[in-house]
Amino acid sequence: MNTEEALRDFLFNGHLFYVPHVSLDCAIFGYHERQLKLLLIKPKVVENWCLPGGYIKRTETLVEAANRNVKERTGIDNLFLQQFKTFGDPDRSKASQFDEEKWFKAVGVRIDRTNWLIDQTISVGFYAITDFSRTSPKADVFTVNCAWFDIDNLPKLDFDHDEMVREALHTMRVQLYHYPIGYNLLPEKFTLAEIHALYETLLGKKLDASNFPKKLIALGLLERLNEKRSIGPHRAPHLYRFNKERYDEALGEGLVLS
Amino acid sequence: MNTEEALRDFLFNGHLFYVPHVSLDCAIFGYHERQLKLLLIKPKVVENWCLPGGYIKRTETLVEAANRNVKERTGIDNLFLQQFKTFGDPDRSKASQFDEEKWFKAVGVRIDRTNWLIDQTISVGFYAITDFSRTSPKADVFTVNCAWFDIDNLPKLDFDHDEMVREALHTMRVQLYHYPIGYNLLPEKFTLAEIHALYETLLGKKLDASNFPKKLIALGLLERLNEKRSIGPHRAPHLYRFNKERYDEALGEGLVLS
């Protein structure tokens, strides 16, 4: 949507190509070396930072729409986005706060209160985790900025996005033991110290270093390899890897813990 | 919606009071004495059985809408409905299969393809578990029947409801270890044999009777009481109860398993 013509078509005819009343928002967590961050955008038409999101084309699945929106808003592609909850409290839509002049100033096109974008919207929440050091967030035509924020130092978010982040974080933490979430955040072969740091950071709490991996190993989700990595004189910890097949199997059984 | 006037108002002006393009569907599981069932309705306007559901009033939260719809469709009230996934594949809406004559015959009012009910819809899935022996399902004005079906002997469902049931069952089974789902399905104080039967039935698989409760007890989720129940000569098993506070705590920590 980089020409004014495309923008006008979206604003005035968008309800024909997109499903009206339904949006989606994406909580994208970023991990790197004991740091957990969240990707936020600052749209031109709202006051505060918020989660990247957008609308669903009438020909797309929800997850396809989530990926397209994230790519358009932030420049980041190929995330494994996972649905976590849909948000529909009646007061989450603030049609009453629509400011015609502000819209005009922001995007250069005038819309009024009857526009399809202004009516009540229910939003589907997705989350993803990626290595933030390998991304280069970029703002698009609707946004003035796009950046990573420390999870412990987030600004006040717009709409109901504070609640979305809390719920996304909760779901990610529960699912950490059911899905191989660490998969793309660690090298293929990693040390116990590396997965320990990852889990502590994602869970936001200390884990007993010797007890923590036992359950994962007992369940066959984590495999000890006959390989070591030399990290210094007399220091060569064993390497481990995720057993993806066992994860899929465990998921198929409906649970990992049993 | 028991008068023709109310029905006409819903059909022709519903988009003013309900959020168009968004519906919800509810997978209501029923447990009683080692049996697991699913509540289905047979609407007048579709071919096959399907999940009870409906639309969201513009003034309702999603869960309020789920409860109202279940009550209207089935007569069952006060369920603890839990959101599990939102369904939005473009081919789930079958506007092309809309049959004007069938609608007219079913509800006595004529609508056409431009009606708000016929356009593409994204549906929010909820699930609940109740004791089916304490319910009395009743059909409403839109449905010819409403009944419990054995989970292992379901009819082919309409729309994408087969997929919804699979996903609801999967979520319920994963959450069985994170939420006190058995809460309303067992007496306040129960024997290990009773909770074992409940968990085996809900999970659809055999569980080792002596190992199964150990984790729940170790985590403090299940408490052994200083009480026994006499069930025959020389047979008086210990009674247990759920520790609801510990469940809430564990949920607050983001996970039960750690």
Side-chain angles (χ1 to χ4, degrees):
Chain A
M1 211 170 309
N2 289 317
T3 65
E4 195 187 306
E5 196 188 331
L7 177 62
R8 295 185 75 91
D9 199 40
F10 173 73
L11 295 177
F12 297 115
N13 303 316
H15 58 290
L16 302 174
F17 313 114
Y18 295 85
V19 183
H21 297 279
V22 187
S23 62
L24 52 84
D25 290 290
C26 303
I28 303 167
F29 298 109
Y31 174 81
H32 191 72
E33 289 177 359
R34 291 198 163 269
Q35 292 172 85
L36 184 60
K37 293 177 185 277
L38 180 70
L39 189 65
L40 296 176
I41 62 171
K42 176 66 190 70
K44 290 177 181 170
V45 291
V46 298
E47 199 69 38
N48 302 305
W49 290 83
C50 57
L51 296 175
Y55 291 88
I56 300 145
K57 286 186 183 167
R58 284 171 177 264
T59 53
E60 283 173 329
T61 64
L62 298 181
V63 75
E64 284 166 358
N67 272 290
R68 180 183 51 77
N69 275 286
V70 167
K71 188 179 171 189
E72 286 175 5
R73 293 282 165 281
T74 71
I76 300 175
D77 204 357
N78 290 321
L79 287 176
F80 177 64
L81 282 152
Q82 188 141 350
Q83 212 194 99
F84 67 95
K85 190 175 175 182
T86 294
F87 296 80
D89 279 7
D91 60 2
R92 70 175 303 278
S93 307
K94 302 175 181 177
S96 59
Q97 286 174 35
F98 167 65
D99 184 332
E100 201 175 316
E101 289 310 316
K102 196 167 175 183
W103 253 90
F104 180 60
K105 230 175 120 180
V107 301
V109 180
R110 195 170 285 278
I111 65 169
D112 68 20
R113 196 170 292 281
T114 65
N115 188 282
W116 73 283
L117 286 169
I118 307 309
D119 204 348
Q120 195 166 342
T121 299
I122 283 168
S123 190
V124 185
F126 284 82
Y127 84 89
I129 315 187
T130 187
D131 181 335
F132 65 77
S133 74
R134 287 187 237 154
T135 65
S136 316
K138 276 184 272 302
D140 80 340
V141 62
F142 288 112
T143 47
V144 287
N145 207 341
C146 173
W148 290 105
F149 285 77
D150 282 337
I151 199 77
D152 295 323
N153 202 12
L154 298 177
K156 166 89 189 76
L157 303 185
D158 227 303
F159 311 112
D160 51 359
H161 291 195
D162 286 324
E163 186 194 345
M164 285 183 179
V165 173
R166 274 197 306 277
E167 295 267 359
L169 204 51
H170 174 81
T171 306
M172 181 268 277
R173 287 172 172 171
V174 167
Q175 295 189 342
L176 203 49
Y177 286 97
H178 292 281
Y179 298 87
I181 285 178
Y183 226 64
N184 300 311
L185 305 177
L186 294 176
E188 197 199 329
K189 300 169 185 179
F190 46 82
T191 64
L192 283 186
E194 285 171 333
I195 189 173
H196 183 242
L198 171 68
Y199 269 62
E200 278 198 340
T201 307
L202 295 187
L203 290 168
K205 67 174 187 185
K206 291 280 166 207
L207 294 171
D208 186 283
S210 61
N211 271 327
F212 145 78
K214 281 184 188 162
K215 183 86 189 173
L216 291 174
I217 294 170
L219 290 165
L221 302 176
L222 201 59
E223 274 180 348
R224 182 166 150 152
L225 302 171
N226 276 328
E227 267 180 74
K228 296 181 176 189
R229 187 196 294 159
S230 176
I231 56 171
H234 311 294
R235 294 186 62 208
H238 262 285
L239 290 174
Y240 289 75
R241 72 168 171 207
F242 288 114
N243 183 336
K244 190 93 168 16
E245 290 71 38
R246 181 63 198 124
Y247 260 111
D248 292 343
E249 230 176 83
L251 270 178
E253 290 166 11
L255 67 160
V256 169
L257 165 60
S258 69
Chain B
M1 211 170 311
N2 289 317
T3 65
E4 196 189 303
E5 196 188 330
L7 177 63
R8 296 184 76 89
D9 198 40
F10 173 72
L11 296 177
F12 297 116
N13 303 316
H15 57 289
L16 301 175
F17 313 113
Y18 296 85
V19 183
H21 298 279
V22 187
S23 62
L24 52 85
D25 290 291
C26 302
I28 302 167
F29 299 108
Y31 174 80
H32 191 73
E33 289 177 359
R34 290 197 163 270
Q35 292 173 83
L36 183 60
K37 294 178 185 276
L38 180 70
L39 189 65
L40 296 175
I41 62 170
K42 175 67 190 69
K44 291 176 180 169
V45 292
V46 299
E47 200 69 38
N48 301 307
W49 290 83
C50 58
L51 297 175
Y55 291 88
I56 300 146
K57 287 186 184 168
R58 285 171 177 263
T59 52
E60 283 173 330
T61 64
L62 299 181
V63 76
E64 285 166 356
N67 272 291
R68 180 183 50 76
N69 275 286
V70 168
K71 188 179 172 188
E72 285 174 6
R73 293 283 165 280
T74 71
I76 299 174
D77 204 357
N78 289 322
L79 287 176
F80 177 64
L81 283 152
Q82 188 140 352
Q83 211 194 99
F84 66 96
K85 191 176 175 181
T86 294
F87 297 80
D89 278 6
D91 59 2
R92 69 175 304 277
S93 308
K94 300 175 179 177
S96 58
Q97 286 174 35
F98 166 65
D99 184 332
E100 201 176 317
E101 290 309 315
K102 198 166 173 183
W103 253 89
F104 180 60
K105 230 175 120 179
V107 301
V109 179
R110 195 169 286 278
I111 65 168
D112 69 20
R113 196 170 293 280
T114 65
N115 188 282
W116 73 283
L117 286 169
I118 307 309
D119 204 349
Q120 195 167 341
T121 299
I122 284 169
S123 190
V124 186
F126 284 81
Y127 85 89
I129 316 186
T130 187
D131 181 335
F132 64 78
S133 74
R134 288 187 237 153
T135 65
S136 316
K138 276 184 274 302
D140 80 340
V141 62
F142 288 112
T143 48
V144 287
N145 207 342
C146 173
W148 290 105
F149 285 78
D150 282 336
I151 199 78
D152 294 325
N153 202 13
L154 297 178
K156 166 90 188 77
L157 304 185
D158 228 304
F159 310 111
D160 51 359
H161 291 195
D162 286 325
E163 186 194 345
M164 285 183 180
V165 172
R166 274 197 308 277
E167 296 267 0
L169 205 51
H170 175 80
T171 306
M172 182 268 278
R173 286 170 173 172
V174 167
Q175 295 189 342
L176 204 48
Y177 287 97
H178 292 281
Y179 298 88
I181 285 179
Y183 226 65
N184 300 310
L185 305 176
L186 294 176
E188 197 200 327
K189 301 169 183 179
F190 47 82
T191 65
L192 283 185
E194 285 171 331
I195 190 173
H196 183 242
L198 171 68
Y199 269 62
E200 279 198 342
T201 307
L202 296 187
L203 290 168
K205 69 174 185 182
K206 291 280 166 206
L207 294 171
D208 187 283
S210 60
N211 272 327
F212 143 78
K214 281 185 190 161
K215 184 86 188 170
L216 291 175
I217 294 169
L219 290 165
L221 302 176
L222 201 59
E223 275 179 347
R224 182 165 149 154
L225 302 171
N226 275 329
E227 267 180 74
K228 295 182 175 190
R229 188 196 294 160
S230 176
I231 57 170
H234 312 294
R235 295 186 61 209
H238 262 286
L239 290 175
Y240 290 75
R241 71 168 173 207
F242 288 113
N243 184 335
K244 189 92 168 18
E245 289 70 38
R246 180 63 197 125
Y247 260 111
D248 292 342
E249 230 176 82
L251 271 178
E253 289 166 13
L255 67 159
V256 169
L257 166 59
S258 70

